Amino acid sequence: MAAEDASLVLFEEVCQTLARAGFDVHPAGDGEAAGLRVCRVADAVMVGWQPGGGRRNAEYEGIRSALRHALLAILTQAGHAVQVDRESGDVQVRRPANPGGAE
């Protein structure tokens, strides 16, 4: 149960961080609403962007790329370990392996 609690805390932290940065955040599965999507997966949180109407066509790749760079910077500055998921192109967020930078 502790892992579930940690996953929920990470999810809430990510949503709050993005909201403070000015993003309108939607939980995944929130219909066809456009915008930033956040969902919990295994031991991480995934953050991606969806254009209106559920479209995922190539004309939006420039927006997705710019957004990925912004998400990586914002979430890294907030102390999270982040990487781009190769399959989806979304940003995967985890707690850092060594909180506080201790090695």
Side-chain angles (χ1 to χ4, degrees), residues 11-31:
F11 176 82
E12 290 173 354
E13 286 176 0
V14 168
C15 288
Q16 290 171 1
T17 298
L18 295 174
R20 281 192 307 269
F23 289 101
D24 186 17
V25 178
H26 300 279
D30 187 17

Side-chain angles (χ1 to χ4, degrees), residues 4-5 13-16 18 24 31 41 43 51 64 67 70 83 95 99 101:
E4 178 69 19
D5 292 342
E13 286 176 0
V14 168
C15 288
Q16 290 171 1
L18 295 174
D24 186 17
V41 295
D43 59 344
R64 279 193 192 90
L67 184 57
Q83 66 183 31
R95 291 208 175 278

Side-chain angles (χ1 to χ4, degrees), residues 16-93:
Q16 290 171 1
T17 298
L18 295 174
R20 281 192 307 269
F23 289 101
D24 186 17
V25 178
H26 300 279
D30 187 17
E32 295 295 318
L36 214 55
R37 302 292 192 157
V38 182
C39 68
R40 293 171 25 198
V41 295
D43 59 344
V45 171
M46 298 294 282
V47 183
W49 178 79
Q50 177 175 320
R55 296 175 299 220
R56 292 196 61 103
N57 29 19
E59 70 182 275
Y60 295 105
E61 192 50 42
I63 294 170
R64 279 193 192 90
S65 178
L67 184 57
R68 268 192 300 269
H69 290 297
L71 291 170
L72 290 169
I74 291 164
L75 294 165
T76 298
Q77 288 177 347
H80 298 290
V82 296
Q83 66 183 31
V84 175
D85 181 74
R86 292 177 195 235
E87 190 172 311
S88 68
D90 293 343
V91 174
Q92 184 181 72
V93 186

